[in-house]
């Protein structure tokens, strides 16, 4: 008993014996897994076999060769070069870009609205709370598609048409053809203005860093809001004026059918964008609220007890902790929004699924098109999940 | 100086007084809630004006300017173009379609009957005070679907021999395992062994029959292939053996209980095939709210068990099982429902062997259910993860098997824990049913859209009216579900605290 | 500590211990990953013995007794419980678990079942007992731990001490031959410790084979046949309680005892 | 084999438009009617002698081909254009042309447009996944004109988008335009432009590789045409049975059992005509000048009247 | 309780208490909604005093000391801390909070910051100290509570006792004149209680003004100048510890003491 037994590193490896093979958990588990995989393989084989047979029987061509044949149809919104003589592949790519555009815009707007409403739900003010609650409970409980249709058929398409419009000085027109705004066309000299803007931003970054350094060294802080604004807005503005206003504005003007010129945002995009962001914002609001509530009351109390003011408490204690809670569900809402953009199909916004279904119809390649859809969406989802896992690992609170 | 305070003994009990006015009562509340700070006051005023404006506009649209009666668009057109208030006359005229789709008017009582049955049974389950929960659950989850199916379609389903054999194989397996689980029957008894082998043989024959097609026999009015007939007979024999065992060892009430699966199977086949004189109504006539409910409820019913299996699989320590479940779940969660429905519509039929065709509605349900199951699985996994390790150990120490442990100890707790998540998934699924129009089903939203495209009702205000009506119906269902879940959560929560 | 004085007057030790072996551990070794948590454990428990295991936190006490009903798997050596060797064989594990009751520090009652259901669950599903009979037995044991009137409440409605007594009753319902206790009182408020120890003393007096991890030295002194002291995964010292407490041999034991009895 | 399956099932499953007045639409009682619907009925009459044994599947443009490929329907009678692509890579077999159509444009009167060539810069509503969409792109490209497409998935949404002012122009098959105009809030405000920019032969289609069933559908079509040519109508078909005209006797199966050769009864044509009348009757009943659509026979007149409809001889 | 015997030999009481007033509460009343939680509290704390507050659960102990740094707002009466009266005036509240440190039952460390960052947060942002200096001070106090080596870990990585010591160090970094403790040891395991109490005793010996809600009677006996007993929102009795424990006057005090000391 007296001798200390040495710690040996690592358990022994090797098989143990067992009375009956069936009662050996290792054997059992392997048997189950092997038979499951076998069943799956058989099932897949059966599906593929059926499909091949069905395709052959129906005389349907298969393969991805169709992607290189001429599409022959036009697309309403083409952020990248496209015409009806381009290929199916290109058309689908236009769809992907359109999906990303509406998703990106929607995410930004939904986040802004969601945070405002979410904080509103925690407001001390009864009316603000009421408004936020009504907003959340309304939009959480109706289908996205309905919201999209409502904007499109219920609101935008009952606006007036583009003809017989009164001209207005600003050049902004909201008609049933969408939103038409003036477009700024830059002259060659304009690059100086952009350069000034970039320089301004860089200067602000430097300024902020120095300020922080000084604070660490001396404890003093200086407000940098005004100098920052001056650098970011003032500098480009001055350059712009000095270089002689190197831009012209193209105002939309009524023509025979539509407003001509300017920048046009189509009602399909507006409806989809508004619906997606308003709908998703309701969910984001709940996430934000839960995130803030998840920070224990003791944390704010401790901060107060240390003499931190409310603003500082929020900035240094509550927000950093709430963000860890908020970010993961927030990303999944972003993914949902991206996936929901596929409902653009219903109102003719040319995103991936809408264009895909046209291609599917024109070419009859249903399996291939469905596969393309799935691949694109899965790629987006998986990329985001990988990022999220990395983020979570980085942000995880260290526990013992 | 210290001496004064150092020693002190209270002589009298101070009474509890009411709080001072000012931060209490009506004015106190108003001040605290609306005008605590100057910024607050400004916000309150802005919000108040906004609310008043919003409420006034809504009232104006929905009531003051609205049209309540009329038989066509003329009633809702506003002179000089513009758009007026709501066109409730349109809702009124199309109400039947919104609820039943184009289900034959003379047969709508069947839908109503199903609705009523559902309402009664669901109320029985959902209201905590109502007794007989177990029977009610059986009625709702086992009997009601079959009855509704027959009611709504008209019944007279044609079972192939293979399907019949499958039903009886399952019933046989349940019976045999039920009998074998009895303490007075050891599974090593020779009869039991034969019964088990019969079932295995039956299952093998079933599998084979998918690959080999051999002959065709008519037996009991059903068309069998030789292999499916073998399977059918084998399962019957197994049931007979099990029944014999049960009768020899236990009292009459007991063996009646043991034979329930078989009796249920016979009843099921009878109800599905019998002619009750109901006019057949093919599913493409279904529509409106009824279709929405059919898709949502069957999706929900199918996704829950599937989700549980997937969640258990994902937490399994067998890497292959886990991997398969992870891939399955992440796949469905990664793609939009629309593409799933497209897939169900275009690809599912291609997957099936020649001659097998799936009803369009069934395809939608399959798509929706698989999709929802993946989300359900993640919710349930969250619940499983929240169960403390001690619960697993407690069950292990009591020598419960894996499935007993899950069924009796872990799942009841985990599911209770994630009721809000499950209900949220249900709500999501209910809302998502509106996408089935993509594959040509006219659910509530679809019928409303068809309604406002109808030339007799085209006015600038009909689309908004129709959509708001649909939104209200969806909202009503979803909102009550979420409220109910909050109510249940509170109830279950307090029930366990002392 | 009040317990020690009370029960000292009626020591359970008087009962005879048979020489049939209940549990035998031979050169048992276990690793968690690379961490060697049990090192060459050798222990024979005879039927009717009451053994108390003590030692500093992290010394492997819990791990050792959890190996006995295979809640943890040992990697080397043999563990023979009631004549059955514990290997990977699932049948044997089930057999052993049916014969061995276990009480945990945190009770591990099933919160969704009533007290009665907690107690009848295993008899019904594992022993395949009719429900009626299982309930009778459960009520018998619940009476014995003095809470028959709580049978239809839920665990969450009971105090910690009551819950632990239910946990003991639940184990007893399976009619085990051996009972394992893993710090049954350390999650309890001081007032409740006594009521649980009382039940355990009662069990000991009836001759149940018991292996108990605890720091209640009063209990050890009055009830145990043998006290085992573990440190760093080894059994460092074992002896009869009297000798163990009054005259510890090993340095570590002395240190430990000095910390715990002040 | 389709014929056997259909006979065994007892009903014909026919894919039709979800709602195109004159071709396939439901009346207030939920009964289907229209030119395409009458073709379904005719086939049912040929197979069962009973026009009511049809189960209609309303299909959107997107769904129609998969539905046929996947055996959900036996025949697709849904104003579908016969193109080579569809005949080959999609595995369809078109059994004939029951309506010669061409794509046209409809505009609002107040635009003052009289020719499609004036449409440069207009916004055009079109249904996605149709040949229409392709023709539109080609037409504007060849004429060097711009346009803004608004592409929506269902025709009724396309119509309502056009009607609500989202687009200046609606394009689809000329027959469809006539039907769509009826769906406008105010049909008189819209004009169909004279240009026809494509050939759109519409006809019933079946799956490839089932010649017997293909023949049933094909010869049902020709029987309808021959009946019109020979003056056999729903009303006089009973009397015509006694006709001495050898062509009529052959048509009505009095001399030889042509039905047997394609797996049908001897009096299959009699059943068809009794059920739905001849081609001309179907046309006039559903889309002719006396219907709201007011479509002239035009190209769809019999060859004898200078049209394109030509029934292959039954002999 | 082992503490009592240890520290009794070096009682902190010997230190003199000045007659400058640190905290003065005059007729303080507070309601939670309709519930009258503090009733006419009168209390004067002198600089250097160590006051222990005890009483049954729910008697308003926490509420009272939380009023002192305005974590709760009182509705009637006056509270004057270090010469500043607490009113709605935010400036004054800030002033008071800077002078008053508080330690909570559940530590309330900021989990997303390291120990060092926890300690330097307030000095940097509230006292506007340069970071270097703040860190020096923090290390000084961390050394004093005997965990300088954990400075770069996160709170989640420390044991409860260590966390509570960090919480004390964090408060000390603001160099407060008064320290409030709200049951600082009641969330800790017994072994850890001692390490925290040791730190508090040290503080007391240095003459810090302390108001401490605790049930550690050993600590009260050895360190406090005065023990205050509260019940139902009132101060029922206060006295020097010796007298308080050995000779309680009020019925309720007697009952309470009999329950807590057995
Ligand atoms: N699942 C596990 N994985 C890795 N290490 C573990 C695991 N369980 C326990 N350990 C480690 O094994 C050692 C022994 O643990 P065990 O619980 O047996 O100690 P104990 O003597 O019961 O201590 P205590 O008195 O704290 O309960 C400890 O150092 C512990 O950290
Ligand atoms: N925020 C609050 N709202 C309403 N009532 C409260 C609130 N905080 C405390 N109370 C009530 O006020 C009473 C006094 O609470 P307090 O926390 O001061 O008691 P305590 O003496 O510290 O008790 P304990 O020993 O349990 O900490 C209790 O009855 C409590 O329920
Ligand atoms: Mg332990
Ligand atoms: Mg307290």
């Amino acid at each position: 008993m007296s001798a200390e037994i040495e710690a040996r590193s690592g358990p022994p490896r090797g098989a143990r014996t067992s009375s009956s093979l069936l009662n050996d958990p290792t054997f059992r588990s392997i048997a189950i897994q092997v038979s499951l995989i076998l069943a799956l393989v058989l099932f897949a084989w059966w599906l593929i076999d059926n499909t091949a047979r069905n395709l052959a029987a129906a005389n349907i061509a298969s393969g991805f060769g169709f992607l290189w044949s001429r599409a022959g149809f036009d697309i309403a919104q083409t952020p990248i070069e496209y015409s009806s003589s381009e290929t199916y592949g290109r058309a689908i790519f236009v769809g992907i870009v359109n999906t990303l555009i509406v998703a990106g815009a929607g995410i930004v707007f939904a986040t802004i609205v969601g945070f405002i409403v979410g904080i509103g739900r925690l407001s001390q003010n009864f009316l603000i709370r009421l408004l936020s609650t009504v907003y959340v409970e309304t939009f959480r409980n109706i289908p996205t598609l309905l919201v999209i249709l409502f904007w499109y058929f219920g609101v935008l398409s009952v606006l007036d048409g583009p003809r017989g419009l009164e001209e207005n000085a600003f050049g902004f027109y909201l008609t049933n053809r969408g939103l038409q705004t003036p477009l700024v066309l830059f002259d060659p000299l304009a690059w100086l203005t952009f350069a000034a803007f970039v320089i301004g931003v860089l200067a602000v970054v430097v300024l902020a860093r120095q300020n922080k350094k000084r604070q660490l060294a001396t404890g003093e802080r200086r407000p940098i809001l005004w100098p920052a604004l001056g650098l970011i807005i003032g500098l480009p503005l001055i350059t712009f004026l000095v270089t002689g206003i190197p831009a012209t504005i193209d105002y939309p003007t009524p023509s025979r059918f539509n407003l001509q010129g300017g920048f046009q945002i189509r009602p399909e995009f507006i409806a989809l964008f508004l619906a997606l962001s308003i709908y998703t914002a309701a969910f984001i609001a709940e996430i934000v609220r839960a995130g803030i509530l998840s920070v224990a009351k003791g944390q704010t109390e401790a901060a107060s007890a240390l003499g931190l003011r409310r603003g500082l408490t929020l900035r240094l204690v509550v927000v950093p902790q709430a963000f860890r809670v908020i970010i993961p569900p927030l990303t999944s809402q972003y993914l949902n929004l991206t996936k929901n953009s596929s409902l653009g199909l219903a109102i003719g916004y040319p995103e991936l699924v809408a264009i895909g279904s046209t291609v599917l119809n024109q070419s009859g390649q249903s399996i291939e098109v469905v596969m393309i859809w799935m691949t694109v969406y899965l790629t987006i989802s998986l990329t985001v999940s990988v990022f999220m896992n990395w983020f979570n690992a980085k942000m995880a609170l260290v526990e013992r | 100086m210290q001496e004064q305070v150092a020693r002190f003994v209270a002589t009298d009990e101070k009474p509890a007084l009411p709080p001072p006015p000012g931060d209490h009562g009506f004015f106190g509340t108003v001040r605290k809630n609306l005008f605590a700070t100057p910024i607050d006051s400004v916000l309150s005023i802005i919000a108040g004006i906004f609310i008043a404006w919003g409420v006034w506009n809504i009232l104006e649209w929905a009531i003051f300017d609205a049209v309540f009666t009329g038989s066509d668009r003329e009633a809702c057109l506003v002179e000089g173009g513009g758009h007026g208030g709501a066109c409730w006359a349109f809702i009124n005229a199309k109400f039947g379609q919104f609820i039943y789709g184009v289900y034959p008017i003379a047969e709508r009582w069947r839908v109503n009957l199903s609705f009523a049955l559902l309402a009664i049974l669901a109320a029985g389950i959902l209201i905590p005070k109502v007794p007989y929960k177990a029977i009610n659950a059986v009625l709702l989850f086992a009997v009601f679907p079959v009855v509704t199916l027959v009611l709504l379609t008209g019944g007279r389903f044609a079972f192939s021999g293979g399907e019949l054999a499958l039903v009886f194989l399952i019933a046989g397996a349940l019976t045999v395992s039920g009998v074998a689980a009895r303490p007075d029957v050891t599974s090593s008894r020779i009869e039991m062994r034969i019964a088990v082998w019969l079932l295995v043989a039956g299952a093998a024959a079933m599998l084979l029959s998918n690959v080999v097609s051999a002959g065709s026999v008519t037996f009991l009015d059903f068309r069998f292939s030789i292999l499916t007939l073998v399977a059918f007979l084998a399962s019957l024999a197994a049931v007979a053996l099990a029944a014999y065992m049960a009768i020899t060892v236990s009292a009459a009430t007991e063996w009646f209980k043991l034979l329930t699966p078989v009796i249920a199977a016979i009843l099921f086949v009878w109800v599905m095939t019998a002619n009750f004189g109901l006019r057949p109504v093919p599913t493409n006539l279904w529509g409106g709210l009824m279709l929405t409910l059919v898709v949502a409820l069957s999706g929900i019913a199918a996704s829950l068990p599937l989700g549980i299996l997937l969640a258990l699989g994902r937490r399994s320590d067998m890497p292959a099982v886990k991997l398969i479940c992870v891939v399955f779940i992440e796949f469905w969660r990664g793609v939009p429902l629309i593409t799933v429905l497209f897939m169900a519509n275009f690809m599912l039929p291609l997957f099936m062997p020649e001659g097998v065709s799936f009803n369009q509605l069934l395809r939608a349900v399959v798509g929706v259910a698989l999709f929802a199951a993946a989300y359900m699985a993640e919710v349930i996994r969250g619940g499983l993860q929240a169960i403390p390790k001690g619960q697993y150990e407690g069950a292990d120490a009591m020598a419960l098997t894996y499935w007993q442990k899950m069924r009796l100890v872990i799942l009841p707790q985990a599911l209770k824990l994630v009721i809000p998540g499950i209900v949220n998934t249900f709500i999501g699924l209910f809302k998502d049913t509106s996408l089935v129009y993509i594959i040509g089903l006219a659910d509530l939203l679809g019928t409303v859209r068809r309604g406002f495209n109808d030339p007799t009702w085209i006015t600038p205000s009909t689309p908004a009216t129709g959509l708001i009506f649909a939104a209200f119906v969806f909202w009503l269902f979803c909102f009550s579900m979420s409220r109910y879940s909050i109510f249940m959560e509170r109830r279950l929560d307090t029930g366990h605290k002392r | 500590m009040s317990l020690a004085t009370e029960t000292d007057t009626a020591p359970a030790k008087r009962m005879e211990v048979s020489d049939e072996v209940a549990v035998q551990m031979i050169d048992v070794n276990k690793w968690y990953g690379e961490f060697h948590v049990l090192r060459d454990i050798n222990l024979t428990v005879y039927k009717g013995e009451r053994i108390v295991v003590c030692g500093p936190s992290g010394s492997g006490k819990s791990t050792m007794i959890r190996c006995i009903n295979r809640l943890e798997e040992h990697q080397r050596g043999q563990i023979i419980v009631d004549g059955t060797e514990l290997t990977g064989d699932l049948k044997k594990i089930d057999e052993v678990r049916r014969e061995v009751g276990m009480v945990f520090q945190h009770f591990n009652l099933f919160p969704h079942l009533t007290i009665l259901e907690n107690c009848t669950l295993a008899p019904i599903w594992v022993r395949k007992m009719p429900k009626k009979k299982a309930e009778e037995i459960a009520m018998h044991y619940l009476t014995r731990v003095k809470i028959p009137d709580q049978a239809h409440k839920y665990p969450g409605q009971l105090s910690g001490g009551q819950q632990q007594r239910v946990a003991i009753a639940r184990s007893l319902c399976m009619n085990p031959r051996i009972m394992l206790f893993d710090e049954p009182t350390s999650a309890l408020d001081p007032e409740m410790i006594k009521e649980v120890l009382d039940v355990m003393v009662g069990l000991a007096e009836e001759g149940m084979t018991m292996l108990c991890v605890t720091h209640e030295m009063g209990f050890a002194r009055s009830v145990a046949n043998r006290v085992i002291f573990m440190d760093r995964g080894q059994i460092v010292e074992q002896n009869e309680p009297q000798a163990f407490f009054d005259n510890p041999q090993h340095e570590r034991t002395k240190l430990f005892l000095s910390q715990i009895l002040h | 084999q389709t014929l056997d399956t259909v006979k065994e099932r007892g009903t014909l499953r026919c894919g039709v438009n979800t709602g195109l007045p004159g071709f396939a639409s439901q009346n207030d009682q939920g009964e289907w009617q229209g030119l395409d619907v009458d073709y379904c009925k005719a086939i049912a009459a040929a197979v069962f002698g009973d026009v009511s044994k049809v189960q209609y599947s309303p299909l959107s443009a997107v769904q129609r081909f998969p539905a046929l490929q996947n055996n959900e329907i036996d025949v697709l009678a849904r104003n579908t254009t016969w193109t080579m692509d569809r005949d080959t890579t999609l595995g369809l077999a078109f059994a004939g042309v029951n309506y010669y159509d061409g794509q046209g444009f409809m505009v609002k009167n107040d635009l003052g447009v009289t020719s499609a060539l004036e449409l440069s810069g207009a916004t055009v509503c079109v249904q996605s996944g149709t040949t229409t969409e392709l023709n539109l792109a080609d037409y504007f490209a060849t004429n060097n004109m711009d346009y803004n497409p608004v592409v929506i998935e269902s025709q009724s949404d396309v119509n309502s988008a056009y009607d609500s002012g989202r687009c200046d122009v609606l394009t689809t098959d000329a027959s469809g335009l006539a039907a769509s105009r009826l769906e406008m809030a105010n049909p008189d405000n819209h004009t169909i432009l004279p240009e026809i920019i494509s050939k759109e032969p519409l006809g019933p289609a079946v799956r490839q590789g089932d010649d017997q069933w293909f023949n049933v559908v094909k010869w049902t079509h020709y029987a309808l045409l021959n009946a019109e040519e020979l003056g056999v109508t729903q009303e006089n078909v009973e009397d015509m049975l006694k006709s001495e005209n050898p062509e009529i006797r052959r048509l009505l199966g009095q001399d030889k059992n042509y039905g047997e050769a394609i797996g049908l009864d001897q009096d299959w044509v009699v059943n068809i005509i009794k059920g739905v009348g001849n081609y001309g009757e179907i046309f006039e009943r559903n889309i002719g000048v006396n219907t709201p659509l007011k479509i002239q026979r035009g190209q769809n007149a019999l060859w004898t009247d200078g049209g394109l409809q030509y029934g292959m001889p039954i002999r």
Side-chain angles (χ1 to χ4, degrees), chain B residues 347-358:
Chain B
M347 289 169 67
L348 203 61
L350 287 178
F351 289 156
M352 292 298 122
E354 222 178 320
V356 178
S357 80
F358 260 108

Side-chain angles (χ1 to χ4, degrees), chain C residues 61-62 105 182-183 213:
Chain C
K61 308 178 296 293
S62 303
Q105 178 178 7
D182 189 2
E183 310 205 24
V213 176

Side-chain angles (χ1 to χ4, degrees), chain C residues 181-232:
Chain C
F181 294 84
D182 189 2
E183 310 205 24
T185 57
S186 63
L188 298 179
D189 292 349
E191 324 139 43
M192 298 165 180
I193 293 180
K194 188 168 172 297
E195 59 190 51
V196 172
L197 288 182
D198 282 348
V199 169
M200 289 168 64
V201 170
L203 259 184
E205 281 169 357
E206 285 171 23
M208 174 66 79
T209 313
M210 288 165 65
L211 249 133
C212 184
V213 176
T214 183
H215 290 141
E216 291 295 327
M217 291 307 145
F219 175 79
R221 227 181 244 278
S222 61
V223 176
N225 301 77
R226 214 184 330 158
V227 179
I228 291 178
F229 175 68
M230 286 186 71
D231 192 18
R232 298 205 212 148

Side-chain angles (χ1 to χ4, degrees), chain B residues 322-337:
Chain B
K322 185 170 173 171
L323 182 74
I324 289 167
C325 292
V326 169
V327 169
F328 185 92
I329 291 171
E330 293 307 328
F331 176 81
W332 293 107
R333 276 161 40 95
V335 299
L337 180 57

